[in-house]
Amino acid sequence: MKAKTREIQTRGSRPRLMSARSAAAIASALLWTVGCKDKHQRATPPPPVVEVAPVTQADIPIYHEWIGVLDGLVNAQIRAQVTGYLLTQNYREGDPIKKGDLLFEIDPRPFKAGLDQAKGLLAQAEAKLGKTELDVKRYGPLVKDKAISQEEYDDAVQANLEAKAAVVSATAQVEQAQLNIEFTSITSPIDGIASIAKAQVGDLVGPATGELTTVSTVDPIKAYYNVTEQAYINFTKQFATESDRYGRLRQLEIDLILTDGTVYPLKGKIYAADRQIGPTTGALRVEALFPNPGGALRPGEFARVRIKLDLKHDSLLVPQRAVSELQGSYQVAVVDADNRIHIQPVRVGDRSGNLWMIEEGLHTGQHVVVEGIQKVREGMTVTTTNFVPDQLVQTIPAPTKK
């Protein structure tokens, strides 16, 4: 009876032992399955998300830009024409002035004394002239009557001529003395703005002491910029005759972009081009005039000069950030209908604001990657979202479609 009981217990314990082994095997199998799934999931990450934009087509104005510097249309250097002590400064530095306004005054007293002396010499010369004229009139009848010799008459005539010359010389000295007095009042020869004075009251000034100030005409104001020799050659190829070139230059409207990025509201016109290409710079210096009624622009400012040279019709456009440069060649990442990437070489043209013209390699209807281009490879599948351009970058006139 006891033996049967042990057998039953022994037999009863075997099923429990087999059940524990089975559980361990099942657990191992489950862990291996989960590990394989984790490895599979890590090996196939989700497609990267990129922002895409369509290839558009429009008529785009072609702009060229150069760095320019502003200068007065006329810059009159004010100098003293006589030597003397500076008595007064009669203008406020930096203020607008008119033609004829008094700028400086030099002590006129020495020049008034010189004028009085010159007038005295003129009176002496005129008195002598009167005497010689009387001698000639008196000696004329006497020489005919042989009352005096011909030599005496000739001497009287020559003395009269000498007296006339002395009067002319004395008159010129009076005029010069009068001019010297006028030169003591230094006036502005033009309308404009006077710079800070370089001489102070009490200084001894004269023709050799340099300029006292400068008066610049700032309405209109002039902008200088340099055009490369190649750009000038291209321009002459488009307009073969001189009349055609000048006609085209008169039609061009010029924008002035200030250093803070704002566009000056008034358009400019080309004023003149230099007669030669600079031998050291290899560039042609061009002058443009801009209206400056409020005097906001001042000589010496730097600005960018932008000119609309042409209108290119039906240009293909993509955002500049969609174009990558590699060793002098350009490429874009095109997304096909299956959201697969194709790296497409392109030939680029001019830039227009934040857009880039594509001369070859794309067509309308395609989509290119703008953001996330560094994450894509040839043949890769991606998830796309629409690219939203930064409106603050759009500072140029919007393209117009004919």
Side-chain angles (χ1 to χ4, degrees):
M1 191 69 177
K2 292 180 181 180
K4 288 182 180 180
T5 301
R6 286 195 298 267
E7 183 179 358
I8 291 172
Q9 290 176 348
T10 304
R11 289 177 181 176
S13 63
R14 289 181 64 85
R16 288 195 296 270
L17 180 60
M18 292 299 294
S19 177
R21 290 179 180 178
S22 298
I26 291 171
S28 298
L30 289 174
L31 291 174
W32 181 83
T33 303
V34 172
C36 290
K37 288 183 178 180
D38 291 340
K39 290 180 180 179
H40 180 68
Q41 289 176 354
R42 287 196 298 269
T44 57
V49 179
V50 296
E51 297 182 19
V52 299
V55 179
T56 58
Q57 191 173 29
D59 296 340
I60 294 298
I62 304 300
Y63 290 96
H64 284 196
E65 290 186 1
W66 297 274
I67 299 299
V69 61
L70 302 184
D71 198 5
L73 177 61
V74 178
N75 298 305
Q77 295 182 350
I78 309 301
R79 299 174 182 268
Q81 294 178 270
V82 293
T83 300
Y85 287 97
L86 206 59
L87 284 184
T88 61
Q89 177 180 327
N90 302 84
Y91 76 99
R92 184 174 179 178
E93 297 165 329
D95 281 357
I97 58 175
K98 297 293 184 180
K99 180 179 179 180
D101 286 352
L102 183 63
L103 302 179
F104 300 96
E105 186 178 6
I106 296 175
D107 187 358
R109 291 175 298 176
F111 303 100
K112 289 181 179 179
L115 176 61
D116 293 339
Q117 183 179 10
K119 287 181 178 179
L121 294 176
L122 175 60
Q124 292 179 4
E126 289 175 340
K128 188 174 181 180
L129 175 62
K131 179 181 182 304
T132 58
E133 288 178 344
L134 291 175
D135 289 342
V136 171
K137 289 180 181 180
R138 186 171 63 251
Y139 288 172
L142 295 176
V143 74
K144 290 181 181 179
D145 297 337
K146 305 295 183 179
I148 62 173
S149 64
Q150 184 66 38
E151 182 180 1
E152 288 178 316
Y153 177 75
D154 292 341
D155 289 344
V157 171
Q158 295 302 317
N160 179 250
L161 295 175
E162 183 179 355
K164 289 182 179 179
V167 169
V168 172
S169 177
T171 302
Q173 291 180 7
V174 171
E175 293 176 351
Q176 182 62 57
Q178 185 64 49
L179 281 176
N180 288 342
I181 291 180
E182 294 177 5
F183 287 153
T184 60
S185 297
I186 303 174
T187 59
S188 174
I190 59 172
D191 295 343
I193 295 177
S195 66
I196 295 176
K198 297 183 179 180
Q200 297 181 353
V201 173
D203 288 351
L204 181 64
V205 298
T209 58
E211 64 183 79
L212 303 178
T213 188
T214 300
V215 179
S216 297
T217 301
V218 296
D219 185 23
I221 197 167
K222 188 185 299 183
Y224 290 102
Y225 62 96
N226 292 322
V227 176
T228 62
E229 185 176 1
Q230 185 60 50
Y232 173 73
I233 292 174
N234 295 337
F235 181 76
T236 57
K237 287 180 180 178
Q238 294 178 356
F239 304 94
T241 65
E242 185 176 8
S243 61
D244 291 341
R245 288 196 293 270
Y246 278 106
R248 178 56 177 160
L249 289 177
R250 284 190 291 268
Q251 294 174 357
L252 294 176
E253 291 187 345
I254 307 176
D255 291 324
L256 194 68
I257 305 174
L258 305 179
T259 52
D260 63 353
T262 59
V263 179
Y264 185 64
L266 301 178
K267 301 286 186 179
K269 292 286 187 180
I270 290 180
Y271 175 66
D274 203 353
R275 66 177 183 87
Q276 67 174 11
I277 303 293
T280 56
T281 62
L284 180 69
R285 193 180 194 190
V286 181
E287 300 174 356
L289 291 184
F290 290 87
N292 189 27
L297 302 177
R298 291 296 181 99
E301 284 188 69
F302 285 91
R304 285 181 292 147
V305 176
R306 184 175 67 191
I307 301 179
K308 177 184 173 182
L309 292 179
D310 199 2
L311 184 66
K312 193 163 186 180
H313 299 282
D314 298 328
S315 299
L316 297 178
L317 304 170
V318 297
Q320 287 187 18
R321 284 184 281 182
V323 181
S324 301
E325 182 180 3
L326 181 63
Q327 297 179 351
S329 60
Y330 299 88
Q331 61 186 22
V332 297
V334 179
V335 181
D336 62 16
D338 297 326
N339 283 352
R340 291 188 179 276
I341 295 295
H342 172 60
I343 305 300
Q344 175 64 42
V346 294
R347 183 163 61 89
V348 299
D350 295 318
R351 299 186 186 188
S352 180
N354 61 356
L355 301 176
W356 210 329
M357 300 182 194
I358 304 299
E359 301 288 345
E360 186 178 317
L362 294 177
H363 59 77
T364 56
Q366 291 181 305
H367 288 74
V368 296
V369 177
V370 181
E371 293 293 345
I373 192 171
Q374 70 279 1
K375 299 184 292 185
V376 302
R377 300 291 184 271
E378 177 69 30
M380 177 185 291
T381 301
V382 295
T383 301
T384 62
T385 60
N386 292 328
F387 169 71
V388 179
D390 186 357
Q391 297 299 326
L392 296 177
V393 182
Q394 304 287 342
T395 58
I396 66 163
T400 57
K401 184 70 176 177
K402 286 189 175 182

